[in-house]
Amino acid sequence: MNKYAALLRRQWEIADPTFVQSLDDPTEHFSQLGNQVNDEILELLPSLEGIDQAGETYLQKVSRLSAAKLQAEEIVLAEYQPSSDSPEPDEPEGWDSMPHDQQESWIRENVPEGEEQREMLKDLEGRRLDRLIVLGASYDPQEHEQD
């Protein structure tokens, strides 16, 4: 079991112990999940690392590569986190399955203008951009939403 498997297992045991207990073989489940997370991180990593910069020192390069790995881990692991016990109070049921533009419209129609609305729109856009980074810059999710 790799470090991602162990991390996810601990998180799921705390967030939803019933789910973990319902698994036939939790160790195998989380081992496979950990391997999948590792593969996705390795796939995403080159796009975040960038290229060597002229005059970049060894320590600068190590910092850049380390930051890219942390960012890749954060992006990929976010997809595998257990859901929060306390969903956003203002979000309707089925929020996560709504297309981005419907989520944005709902926020604009149901959350009064102000700091909370701006924060929700900012978070929504951040999730969309993270998804684009993961899927690649040439992928336009709006073209594929009807699939």
Side-chain angles (χ1 to χ4, degrees), residues 11 20 25 30 38 53 64-65 94 98 109 111 113 116 118 136:
Q11 290 174 338
V20 176
D25 186 353
F30 287 103
N38 189 62
Q53 303 296 313
R64 178 174 50 84
L65 298 178
M98 277 185 186
E109 293 169 6
V111 179
E113 285 188 37
E116 183 180 5
R118 283 191 298 275

Side-chain angles (χ1 to χ4, degrees), residues 30-72:
F30 287 103
S31 290
Q32 288 178 0
L33 203 57
N35 290 335
Q36 184 175 340
V37 166
N38 189 62
D39 291 346
E40 289 182 29
I41 289 169
L42 292 176
E43 185 178 323
L44 177 60
L45 201 50
S47 66
L48 299 174
E49 288 176 338
I51 58 172
D52 291 349
Q53 303 296 313
E56 183 178 46
T57 67
Y58 171 77
L59 291 178
Q60 289 170 328
K61 182 174 181 171
V62 168
S63 293
R64 178 174 50 84
L65 298 178
S66 295
K69 182 165 186 186
L70 290 172
Q71 186 179 10

